[in-house]
PDB file of all heavy atoms in Angstrom:
ATOM      1  N   ILE A 771       4.128  11.309 -16.903  1.00 96.00           N
ATOM      2  CA  ILE A 771       3.619  12.693 -16.874  1.00 96.00           C
ATOM      3  C   ILE A 771       4.749  13.669 -17.185  1.00 96.00           C
ATOM      4  O   ILE A 771       4.569  14.642 -17.935  1.00 96.00           O
ATOM      5  CB  ILE A 771       2.981  13.008 -15.506  1.00 96.00           C
ATOM      6  CG1 ILE A 771       1.690  12.205 -15.336  1.00 96.00           C
ATOM      7  CG2 ILE A 771       2.678  14.498 -15.377  1.00 96.00           C
ATOM      8  CD1 ILE A 771       1.110  12.273 -13.934  1.00 96.00           C
ATOM      9  N   SER A 772       5.929  13.414 -16.637  1.00 95.00           N
ATOM     10  CA  SER A 772       7.076  14.290 -16.903  1.00 95.00           C
ATOM     11  C   SER A 772       7.467  14.248 -18.375  1.00 95.00           C
ATOM     12  O   SER A 772       7.809  15.278 -18.976  1.00 95.00           O
ATOM     13  CB  SER A 772       8.266  13.875 -16.034  1.00 95.00           C
ATOM     14  OG  SER A 772       7.959  14.010 -14.667  1.00 95.00           O
ATOM     15  N   GLY A 773       7.419  13.067 -18.965  1.00 93.00           N
ATOM     16  CA  GLY A 773       7.711  12.960 -20.391  1.00 93.00           C
ATOM     17  C   GLY A 773       6.698  13.722 -21.230  1.00 93.00           C
ATOM     18  O   GLY A 773       7.063  14.371 -22.229  1.00 93.00           O
ATOM     19  N   PHE A 774       5.434  13.669 -20.842  1.00 95.00           N
ATOM     20  CA  PHE A 774       4.389  14.417 -21.545  1.00 95.00           C
ATOM     21  C   PHE A 774       4.651  15.923 -21.444  1.00 95.00           C
ATOM     22  O   PHE A 774       4.506  16.656 -22.432  1.00 95.00           O
ATOM     23  CB  PHE A 774       3.027  14.070 -20.955  1.00 95.00           C
ATOM     24  CG  PHE A 774       1.885  14.815 -21.575  1.00 95.00           C
ATOM     25  CD1 PHE A 774       1.404  14.458 -22.818  1.00 95.00           C
ATOM     26  CD2 PHE A 774       1.310  15.894 -20.918  1.00 95.00           C
ATOM     27  CE1 PHE A 774       0.346  15.154 -23.401  1.00 95.00           C
ATOM     28  CE2 PHE A 774       0.259  16.596 -21.480  1.00 95.00           C
ATOM     29  CZ  PHE A 774      -0.230  16.232 -22.735  1.00 95.00           C
ATOM     30  N   ILE A 775       5.044  16.395 -20.264  1.00 95.00           N
ATOM     31  CA  ILE A 775       5.373  17.820 -20.096  1.00 95.00           C
ATOM     32  C   ILE A 775       6.554  18.189 -20.979  1.00 95.00           C
ATOM     33  O   ILE A 775       6.566  19.252 -21.627  1.00 95.00           O
ATOM     34  CB  ILE A 775       5.668  18.120 -18.618  1.00 95.00           C
ATOM     35  CG1 ILE A 775       4.385  18.022 -17.791  1.00 95.00           C
ATOM     36  CG2 ILE A 775       6.300  19.511 -18.454  1.00 95.00           C
ATOM     37  CD1 ILE A 775       4.605  18.155 -16.299  1.00 95.00           C
ATOM     38  N   GLY A 776       7.554  17.331 -21.014  1.00 92.00           N
ATOM     39  CA  GLY A 776       8.710  17.607 -21.869  1.00 92.00           C
ATOM     40  C   GLY A 776       8.334  17.718 -23.329  1.00 92.00           C
ATOM     41  O   GLY A 776       8.836  18.600 -24.047  1.00 92.00           O
ATOM     42  N   ARG A 777       7.438  16.851 -23.783  1.00 91.00           N
ATOM     43  CA  ARG A 777       7.026  16.865 -25.187  1.00 91.00           C
ATOM     44  C   ARG A 777       6.174  18.082 -25.514  1.00 91.00           C
ATOM     45  O   ARG A 777       6.368  18.723 -26.556  1.00 91.00           O
ATOM     46  CB  ARG A 777       6.239  15.593 -25.507  1.00 91.00           C
ATOM     47  CG  ARG A 777       7.066  14.328 -25.504  1.00 91.00           C
ATOM     48  CD  ARG A 777       7.873  14.156 -26.765  1.00 91.00           C
ATOM     49  NE  ARG A 777       7.025  13.743 -27.896  1.00 91.00           N
ATOM     50  CZ  ARG A 777       7.446  13.712 -29.155  1.00 91.00           C
ATOM     51  NH1 ARG A 777       8.664  14.109 -29.458  1.00 91.00           N
ATOM     52  NH2 ARG A 777       6.636  13.318 -30.117  1.00 91.00           N
ATOM     53  N   THR A 778       5.225  18.410 -24.641  1.00 92.00           N
ATOM     54  CA  THR A 778       4.250  19.463 -24.954  1.00 92.00           C
ATOM     55  C   THR A 778       4.766  20.856 -24.619  1.00 92.00           C
ATOM     56  O   THR A 778       4.572  21.798 -25.388  1.00 92.00           O
ATOM     57  CB  THR A 778       2.933  19.210 -24.204  1.00 92.00           C
ATOM     58  OG1 THR A 778       3.193  19.115 -22.804  1.00 92.00           O
ATOM     59  CG2 THR A 778       2.291  17.923 -24.681  1.00 92.00           C
ATOM     60  N   VAL A 779       5.414  21.003 -23.467  1.00 91.00           N
ATOM     61  CA  VAL A 779       5.889  22.332 -23.036  1.00 91.00           C
ATOM     62  C   VAL A 779       7.255  22.653 -23.639  1.00 91.00           C
ATOM     63  O   VAL A 779       7.485  23.755 -24.131  1.00 91.00           O
ATOM     64  CB  VAL A 779       5.951  22.415 -21.491  1.00 91.00           C
ATOM     65  CG1 VAL A 779       6.525  23.755 -21.044  1.00 91.00           C
ATOM     66  CG2 VAL A 779       4.566  22.189 -20.894  1.00 91.00           C
ATOM     67  N   GLY A 780       8.158  21.678 -23.602  1.00 85.00           N
ATOM     68  CA  GLY A 780       9.511  21.932 -24.083  1.00 85.00           C
ATOM     69  C   GLY A 780       9.735  21.573 -25.532  1.00 85.00           C
ATOM     70  O   GLY A 780      10.799  21.879 -26.083  1.00 85.00           O
ATOM     71  N   GLY A 781       8.770  20.896 -26.162  1.00 87.00           N
ATOM     72  CA  GLY A 781       8.958  20.487 -27.548  1.00 87.00           C
ATOM     73  C   GLY A 781      10.106  19.515 -27.730  1.00 87.00           C
ATOM     74  O   GLY A 781      10.796  19.535 -28.752  1.00 87.00           O
ATOM     75  N   LEU A 782      10.318  18.637 -26.773  1.00 88.00           N
ATOM     76  CA  LEU A 782      11.453  17.727 -26.801  1.00 88.00           C
ATOM     77  C   LEU A 782      11.194  16.557 -27.746  1.00 88.00           C
ATOM     78  O   LEU A 782      10.047  16.164 -27.980  1.00 88.00           O
ATOM     79  CB  LEU A 782      11.738  17.178 -25.403  1.00 88.00           C
ATOM     80  CG  LEU A 782      11.984  18.199 -24.291  1.00 88.00           C
ATOM     81  CD1 LEU A 782      12.276  17.477 -22.979  1.00 88.00           C
ATOM     82  CD2 LEU A 782      13.143  19.127 -24.642  1.00 88.00           C
ATOM     83  N   SER A 783      12.267  16.004 -28.262  1.00 89.00           N
ATOM     84  CA  SER A 783      12.160  14.765 -29.025  1.00 89.00           C
ATOM     85  C   SER A 783      11.867  13.622 -28.052  1.00 89.00           C
ATOM     86  O   SER A 783      11.970  13.776 -26.831  1.00 89.00           O
ATOM     87  CB  SER A 783      13.478  14.490 -29.756  1.00 89.00           C
ATOM     88  OG  SER A 783      14.519  14.235 -28.810  1.00 89.00           O
ATOM     89  N   LEU A 784      11.511  12.456 -28.599  1.00 88.00           N
ATOM     90  CA  LEU A 784      11.238  11.304 -27.742  1.00 88.00           C
ATOM     91  C   LEU A 784      12.461  10.933 -26.915  1.00 88.00           C
ATOM     92  O   LEU A 784      12.344  10.542 -25.747  1.00 88.00           O
ATOM     93  CB  LEU A 784      10.795  10.117 -28.595  1.00 88.00           C
ATOM     94  CG  LEU A 784       9.364  10.154 -29.139  1.00 88.00           C
ATOM     95  CD1 LEU A 784       9.121   8.980 -30.086  1.00 88.00           C
ATOM     96  CD2 LEU A 784       8.360  10.122 -27.985  1.00 88.00           C
ATOM     97  N   ARG A 785      13.616  11.058 -27.522  1.00 88.00           N
ATOM     98  CA  ARG A 785      14.863  10.725 -26.821  1.00 88.00           C
ATOM     99  C   ARG A 785      15.096  11.692 -25.656  1.00 88.00           C
ATOM    100  O   ARG A 785      15.425  11.274 -24.537  1.00 88.00           O
ATOM    101  CB  ARG A 785      16.026  10.772 -27.814  1.00 88.00           C
ATOM    102  CG  ARG A 785      17.329  10.171 -27.298  1.00 88.00           C
ATOM    103  CD  ARG A 785      18.324  10.089 -28.443  1.00 88.00           C
ATOM    104  NE  ARG A 785      19.604   9.566 -27.996  1.00 88.00           N
ATOM    105  CZ  ARG A 785      19.864   8.274 -27.858  1.00 88.00           C
ATOM    106  NH1 ARG A 785      18.935   7.378 -28.106  1.00 88.00           N
ATOM    107  NH2 ARG A 785      21.065   7.864 -27.453  1.00 88.00           N
ATOM    108  N   GLU A 786      14.923  12.979 -25.899  1.00 90.00           N
ATOM    109  CA  GLU A 786      15.086  13.974 -24.832  1.00 90.00           C
ATOM    110  C   GLU A 786      13.982  13.836 -23.785  1.00 90.00           C
ATOM    111  O   GLU A 786      14.233  13.977 -22.578  1.00 90.00           O
ATOM    112  CB  GLU A 786      15.069  15.377 -25.437  1.00 90.00           C
ATOM    113  CG  GLU A 786      16.254  15.685 -26.321  1.00 90.00           C
ATOM    114  CD  GLU A 786      16.067  16.982 -27.096  1.00 90.00           C
ATOM    115  OE1 GLU A 786      14.909  17.303 -27.450  1.00 90.00           O
ATOM    116  OE2 GLU A 786      17.077  17.666 -27.351  1.00 90.00           O
ATOM    117  N   ALA A 787      12.770  13.543 -24.234  1.00 91.00           N
ATOM    118  CA  ALA A 787      11.655  13.399 -23.305  1.00 91.00           C
ATOM    119  C   ALA A 787      11.853  12.216 -22.371  1.00 91.00           C
ATOM    120  O   ALA A 787      11.359  12.227 -21.231  1.00 91.00           O
ATOM    121  CB  ALA A 787      10.346  13.247 -24.069  1.00 91.00           C
ATOM    122  N   THR A 788      12.573  11.194 -22.817  1.00 91.00           N
ATOM    123  CA  THR A 788      12.878  10.062 -21.932  1.00 91.00           C
ATOM    124  C   THR A 788      13.729  10.519 -20.762  1.00 91.00           C
ATOM    125  O   THR A 788      13.509  10.114 -19.609  1.00 91.00           O
ATOM    126  CB  THR A 788      13.607   8.953 -22.719  1.00 91.00           C
ATOM    127  OG1 THR A 788      12.781   8.511 -23.796  1.00 91.00           O
ATOM    128  CG2 THR A 788      13.932   7.776 -21.823  1.00 91.00           C
ATOM    129  N   MET A 789      14.706  11.391 -21.027  1.00 91.00           N
ATOM    130  CA  MET A 789      15.528  11.925 -19.943  1.00 91.00           C
ATOM    131  C   MET A 789      14.706  12.834 -19.030  1.00 91.00           C
ATOM    132  O   MET A 789      14.878  12.831 -17.806  1.00 91.00           O
ATOM    133  CB  MET A 789      16.714  12.709 -20.513  1.00 91.00           C
ATOM    134  CG  MET A 789      17.781  11.848 -21.169  1.00 91.00           C
ATOM    135  SD  MET A 789      18.590  10.725 -20.019  1.00 91.00           S
ATOM    136  CE  MET A 789      17.822   9.169 -20.509  1.00 91.00           C
ATOM    137  N   ALA A 790      13.791  13.618 -19.616  1.00 94.00           N
ATOM    138  CA  ALA A 790      12.906  14.454 -18.803  1.00 94.00           C
ATOM    139  C   ALA A 790      12.014  13.594 -17.922  1.00 94.00           C
ATOM    140  O   ALA A 790      11.754  13.917 -16.760  1.00 94.00           O
ATOM    141  CB  ALA A 790      12.065  15.353 -19.709  1.00 94.00           C
ATOM    142  N   SER A 791      11.543  12.467 -18.480  1.00 94.00           N
ATOM    143  CA  SER A 791      10.744  11.529 -17.693  1.00 94.00           C
ATOM    144  C   SER A 791      11.538  11.008 -16.504  1.00 94.00           C
ATOM    145  O   SER A 791      11.010  10.874 -15.385  1.00 94.00           O
ATOM    146  CB  SER A 791      10.311  10.345 -18.572  1.00 94.00           C
ATOM    147  OG  SER A 791       9.492  10.767 -19.631  1.00 94.00           O
ATOM    148  N   LEU A 792      12.803  10.711 -16.746  1.00 93.00           N
ATOM    149  CA  LEU A 792      13.664  10.202 -15.675  1.00 93.00           C
ATOM    150  C   LEU A 792      13.820  11.236 -14.567  1.00 93.00           C
ATOM    151  O   LEU A 792      13.785  10.900 -13.374  1.00 93.00           O
ATOM    152  CB  LEU A 792      15.025   9.824 -16.254  1.00 93.00           C
ATOM    153  CG  LEU A 792      15.933   8.964 -15.377  1.00 93.00           C
ATOM    154  CD1 LEU A 792      15.320   7.598 -15.121  1.00 93.00           C
ATOM    155  CD2 LEU A 792      17.311   8.810 -16.028  1.00 93.00           C
ATOM    156  N   ALA A 793      13.959  12.512 -14.954  1.00 93.00           N
ATOM    157  CA  ALA A 793      14.102  13.577 -13.949  1.00 93.00           C
ATOM    158  C   ALA A 793      12.855  13.708 -13.091  1.00 93.00           C
ATOM    159  O   ALA A 793      12.944  14.040 -11.903  1.00 93.00           O
ATOM    160  CB  ALA A 793      14.405  14.907 -14.646  1.00 93.00           C
ATOM    161  N   GLY A 794      11.679  13.433 -13.667  1.00 93.00           N
ATOM    162  CA  GLY A 794      10.444  13.564 -12.916  1.00 93.00           C
ATOM    163  C   GLY A 794      10.048  12.323 -12.145  1.00 93.00           C
ATOM    164  O   GLY A 794       9.201  12.391 -11.250  1.00 93.00           O
ATOM    165  N   GLY A 795      10.657  11.179 -12.461  1.00 93.00           N
ATOM    166  CA  GLY A 795      10.268   9.939 -11.803  1.00 93.00           C
ATOM    167  C   GLY A 795      11.321   9.322 -10.910  1.00 93.00           C
ATOM    168  O   GLY A 795      11.003   8.523 -10.029  1.00 93.00           O
ATOM    169  N   TYR A 796      12.576   9.684 -11.142  1.00 91.00           N
ATOM    170  CA  TYR A 796      13.694   9.035 -10.436  1.00 91.00           C
ATOM    171  C   TYR A 796      14.179   9.938  -9.308  1.00 91.00           C
ATOM    172  O   TYR A 796      14.927  10.878  -9.526  1.00 91.00           O
ATOM    173  CB  TYR A 796      14.812   8.749 -11.435  1.00 91.00           C
ATOM    174  CG  TYR A 796      15.987   7.957 -10.905  1.00 91.00           C
ATOM    175  CD1 TYR A 796      15.923   7.260  -9.702  1.00 91.00           C
ATOM    176  CD2 TYR A 796      17.171   7.893 -11.641  1.00 91.00           C
ATOM    177  CE1 TYR A 796      17.002   6.529  -9.254  1.00 91.00           C
ATOM    178  CE2 TYR A 796      18.252   7.166 -11.200  1.00 91.00           C
ATOM    179  CZ  TYR A 796      18.167   6.483 -10.003  1.00 91.00           C
ATOM    180  OH  TYR A 796      19.248   5.760  -9.544  1.00 91.00           O
ATOM    181  N   GLY A 797      13.734   9.657  -8.086  1.00 90.00           N
ATOM    182  CA  GLY A 797      14.171  10.431  -6.935  1.00 90.00           C
ATOM    183  C   GLY A 797      15.508   9.948  -6.412  1.00 90.00           C
ATOM    184  O   GLY A 797      16.031   8.912  -6.831  1.00 90.00           O
ATOM    185  N   ASN A 798      16.042  10.688  -5.463  1.00 84.00           N
ATOM    186  CA  ASN A 798      17.359  10.365  -4.912  1.00 84.00           C
ATOM    187  C   ASN A 798      17.240   9.244  -3.880  1.00 84.00           C
ATOM    188  O   ASN A 798      17.627   9.397  -2.716  1.00 84.00           O
ATOM    189  CB  ASN A 798      17.971  11.620  -4.276  1.00 84.00           C
ATOM    190  CG  ASN A 798      19.467  11.665  -4.468  1.00 84.00           C
ATOM    191  OD1 ASN A 798      20.131  10.650  -4.374  1.00 84.00           O
ATOM    192  ND2 ASN A 798      19.987  12.847  -4.745  1.00 84.00           N
ATOM    193  N   ILE A 799      16.706   8.095  -4.336  1.00 83.00           N
ATOM    194  CA  ILE A 799      16.400   6.989  -3.436  1.00 83.00           C
ATOM    195  C   ILE A 799      17.636   6.225  -2.989  1.00 83.00           C
ATOM    196  O   ILE A 799      17.562   5.443  -2.040  1.00 83.00           O
ATOM    197  CB  ILE A 799      15.397   6.023  -4.091  1.00 83.00           C
ATOM    198  CG1 ILE A 799      15.889   5.580  -5.468  1.00 83.00           C
ATOM    199  CG2 ILE A 799      14.023   6.672  -4.209  1.00 83.00           C
ATOM    200  CD1 ILE A 799      14.987   4.568  -6.163  1.00 83.00           C
ATOM    201  N   GLY A 800      18.760   6.431  -3.667  1.00 74.00           N
ATOM    202  CA  GLY A 800      19.985   5.748  -3.263  1.00 74.00           C
ATOM    203  C   GLY A 800      20.797   6.551  -2.267  1.00 74.00           C
ATOM    204  O   GLY A 800      21.195   6.043  -1.215  1.00 74.00           O
ATOM    205  N   TYR A 801      21.051   7.823  -2.568  1.00 72.00           N
ATOM    206  CA  TYR A 801      21.912   8.649  -1.726  1.00 72.00           C
ATOM    207  C   TYR A 801      21.174   9.185  -0.503  1.00 72.00           C
ATOM    208  O   TYR A 801      21.633   9.057   0.625  1.00 72.00           O
ATOM    209  CB  TYR A 801      22.460   9.825  -2.546  1.00 72.00           C
ATOM    210  CG  TYR A 801      23.610   9.476  -3.465  1.00 72.00           C
ATOM    211  CD1 TYR A 801      23.971   8.146  -3.702  1.00 72.00           C
ATOM    212  CD2 TYR A 801      24.330  10.469  -4.112  1.00 72.00           C
ATOM    213  CE1 TYR A 801      25.013   7.826  -4.542  1.00 72.00           C
ATOM    214  CE2 TYR A 801      25.392  10.160  -4.958  1.00 72.00           C
ATOM    215  CZ  TYR A 801      25.728   8.842  -5.164  1.00 72.00           C
ATOM    216  OH  TYR A 801      26.763   8.533  -5.996  1.00 72.00           O
ATOM    217  N   MET A 802      20.020   9.813  -0.713  1.00 79.00           N
ATOM    218  CA  MET A 802      19.303  10.457   0.388  1.00 79.00           C
ATOM    219  C   MET A 802      18.287   9.547   1.067  1.00 79.00           C
ATOM    220  O   MET A 802      18.069   9.649   2.276  1.00 79.00           O
ATOM    221  CB  MET A 802      18.575  11.714  -0.112  1.00 79.00           C
ATOM    222  CG  MET A 802      19.459  12.859  -0.520  1.00 79.00           C
ATOM    223  SD  MET A 802      18.495  14.303  -1.030  1.00 79.00           S
ATOM    224  CE  MET A 802      17.842  14.843   0.556  1.00 79.00           C
ATOM    225  N   GLY A 803      17.654   8.683   0.284  1.00 81.00           N
ATOM    226  CA  GLY A 803      16.505   7.941   0.772  1.00 81.00           C
ATOM    227  C   GLY A 803      16.718   7.121   2.030  1.00 81.00           C
ATOM    228  O   GLY A 803      16.019   7.318   3.034  1.00 81.00           O
ATOM    229  N   PRO A 804      17.678   6.164   2.020  1.00 78.00           N
ATOM    230  CA  PRO A 804      17.802   5.280   3.191  1.00 78.00           C
ATOM    231  C   PRO A 804      18.097   6.027   4.489  1.00 78.00           C
ATOM    232  O   PRO A 804      17.416   5.822   5.504  1.00 78.00           O
ATOM    233  CB  PRO A 804      18.965   4.355   2.800  1.00 78.00           C
ATOM    234  CG  PRO A 804      18.969   4.372   1.311  1.00 78.00           C
ATOM    235  CD  PRO A 804      18.557   5.755   0.916  1.00 78.00           C
ATOM    236  N   GLY A 805      19.087   6.913   4.473  1.00 77.00           N
ATOM    237  CA  GLY A 805      19.445   7.619   5.700  1.00 77.00           C
ATOM    238  C   GLY A 805      18.332   8.494   6.217  1.00 77.00           C
ATOM    239  O   GLY A 805      18.054   8.529   7.428  1.00 77.00           O
ATOM    240  N   LEU A 806      17.654   9.194   5.310  1.00 83.00           N
ATOM    241  CA  LEU A 806      16.592  10.111   5.717  1.00 83.00           C
ATOM    242  C   LEU A 806      15.384   9.348   6.255  1.00 83.00           C
ATOM    243  O   LEU A 806      14.806   9.717   7.294  1.00 83.00           O
ATOM    244  CB  LEU A 806      16.179  10.987   4.539  1.00 83.00           C
ATOM    245  CG  LEU A 806      15.350  12.231   4.857  1.00 83.00           C
ATOM    246  CD1 LEU A 806      16.107  13.163   5.776  1.00 83.00           C
ATOM    247  CD2 LEU A 806      14.970  12.949   3.569  1.00 83.00           C
ATOM    248  N   ALA A 807      14.990   8.279   5.580  1.00 87.00           N
ATOM    249  CA  ALA A 807      13.832   7.506   6.032  1.00 87.00           C
ATOM    250  C   ALA A 807      14.085   6.867   7.388  1.00 87.00           C
ATOM    251  O   ALA A 807      13.210   6.869   8.266  1.00 87.00           O
ATOM    252  CB  ALA A 807      13.487   6.431   4.999  1.00 87.00           C
ATOM    253  N   LEU A 808      15.283   6.331   7.592  1.00 82.00           N
ATOM    254  CA  LEU A 808      15.603   5.715   8.882  1.00 82.00           C
ATOM    255  C   LEU A 808      15.645   6.760   9.992  1.00 82.00           C
ATOM    256  O   LEU A 808      15.255   6.489  11.128  1.00 82.00           O
ATOM    257  CB  LEU A 808      16.934   4.970   8.793  1.00 82.00           C
ATOM    258  CG  LEU A 808      16.939   3.726   7.896  1.00 82.00           C
ATOM    259  CD1 LEU A 808      18.345   3.178   7.741  1.00 82.00           C
ATOM    260  CD2 LEU A 808      16.025   2.647   8.458  1.00 82.00           C
ATOM    261  N   ALA A 809      16.109   7.975   9.664  1.00 81.00           N
ATOM    262  CA  ALA A 809      16.158   9.030  10.676  1.00 81.00           C
ATOM    263  C   ALA A 809      14.763   9.507  11.063  1.00 81.00           C
ATOM    264  O   ALA A 809      14.491   9.793  12.227  1.00 81.00           O
ATOM    265  CB  ALA A 809      16.991  10.207  10.154  1.00 81.00           C
ATOM    266  N   VAL A 810      13.862   9.597  10.076  1.00 85.00           N
ATOM    267  CA  VAL A 810      12.517  10.115  10.334  1.00 85.00           C
ATOM    268  C   VAL A 810      11.612   9.062  10.962  1.00 85.00           C
ATOM    269  O   VAL A 810      10.849   9.347  11.885  1.00 85.00           O
ATOM    270  CB  VAL A 810      11.885  10.648   9.026  1.00 85.00           C
ATOM    271  CG1 VAL A 810      10.438  11.066   9.242  1.00 85.00           C
ATOM    272  CG2 VAL A 810      12.690  11.822   8.495  1.00 85.00           C
ATOM    273  N   LEU A 811      11.695   7.813  10.461  1.00 85.00           N
ATOM    274  CA  LEU A 811      10.713   6.797  10.833  1.00 85.00           C
ATOM    275  C   LEU A 811      11.299   5.621  11.601  1.00 85.00           C
ATOM    276  O   LEU A 811      10.540   4.742  12.032  1.00 85.00           O
ATOM    277  CB  LEU A 811      10.020   6.278   9.569  1.00 85.00           C
ATOM    278  CG  LEU A 811       9.138   7.327   8.870  1.00 85.00           C
ATOM    279  CD1 LEU A 811       8.918   6.954   7.416  1.00 85.00           C
ATOM    280  CD2 LEU A 811       7.806   7.458   9.587  1.00 85.00           C
ATOM    281  N   GLY A 812      12.614   5.574  11.752  1.00 83.00           N
ATOM    282  CA  GLY A 812      13.212   4.488  12.514  1.00 83.00           C
ATOM    283  C   GLY A 812      13.432   3.246  11.669  1.00 83.00           C
ATOM    284  O   GLY A 812      13.236   3.228  10.454  1.00 83.00           O
ATOM    285  N   THR A 813      13.802   2.167  12.344  1.00 79.00           N
ATOM    286  CA  THR A 813      14.202   0.944  11.651  1.00 79.00           C
ATOM    287  C   THR A 813      13.051   0.279  10.896  1.00 79.00           C
ATOM    288  O   THR A 813      13.285  -0.509   9.984  1.00 79.00           O
ATOM    289  CB  THR A 813      14.791  -0.061  12.650  1.00 79.00           C
ATOM    290  OG1 THR A 813      13.830  -0.300  13.694  1.00 79.00           O
ATOM    291  CG2 THR A 813      16.070   0.473  13.275  1.00 79.00           C
ATOM    292  N   LYS A 814      11.798   0.592  11.266  1.00 83.00           N
ATOM    293  CA  LYS A 814      10.669  -0.012  10.562  1.00 83.00           C
ATOM    294  C   LYS A 814      10.552   0.481   9.127  1.00 83.00           C
ATOM    295  O   LYS A 814       9.803  -0.098   8.331  1.00 83.00           O
ATOM    296  CB  LYS A 814       9.369   0.268  11.316  1.00 83.00           C
ATOM    297  CG  LYS A 814       9.258  -0.482  12.641  1.00 83.00           C
ATOM    298  CD  LYS A 814       7.914  -0.261  13.293  1.00 83.00           C
ATOM    299  CE  LYS A 814       7.798  -1.050  14.599  1.00 83.00           C
ATOM    300  NZ  LYS A 814       6.495  -0.844  15.268  1.00 83.00           N
ATOM    301  N   ALA A 815      11.277   1.550   8.786  1.00 85.00           N
ATOM    302  CA  ALA A 815      11.269   2.045   7.409  1.00 85.00           C
ATOM    303  C   ALA A 815      12.253   1.299   6.523  1.00 85.00           C
ATOM    304  O   ALA A 815      12.244   1.487   5.302  1.00 85.00           O
ATOM    305  CB  ALA A 815      11.601   3.535   7.390  1.00 85.00           C
TER     306      ALA A 815
END
């Protein structure tokens, strides 16, 4: 969906739209994710 927005709204090339797709799909699951999930939900997360 992010790549589609990049193509239609921003007029990006396929190469640029791939990076836009990454920005919309790749969350901070390495740096923020583990610590935050364990703090909110405990060890079961």
Side-chain angles (χ1 to χ4, degrees):
I771 291 171
S772 298
F774 178 76
I775 290 174
R777 291 281 285 170
T778 56
V779 176
L782 304 181
S783 66
L784 284 174
R785 192 171 178 83
E786 293 169 327
T788 301
M789 289 296 105
S791 297
L792 195 64
Y796 186 15
N798 215 320
I799 53 177
Y801 282 10
M802 291 182 71
L806 195 60
L808 292 173
V810 174
L811 293 159
T813 56
K814 290 185 178 180

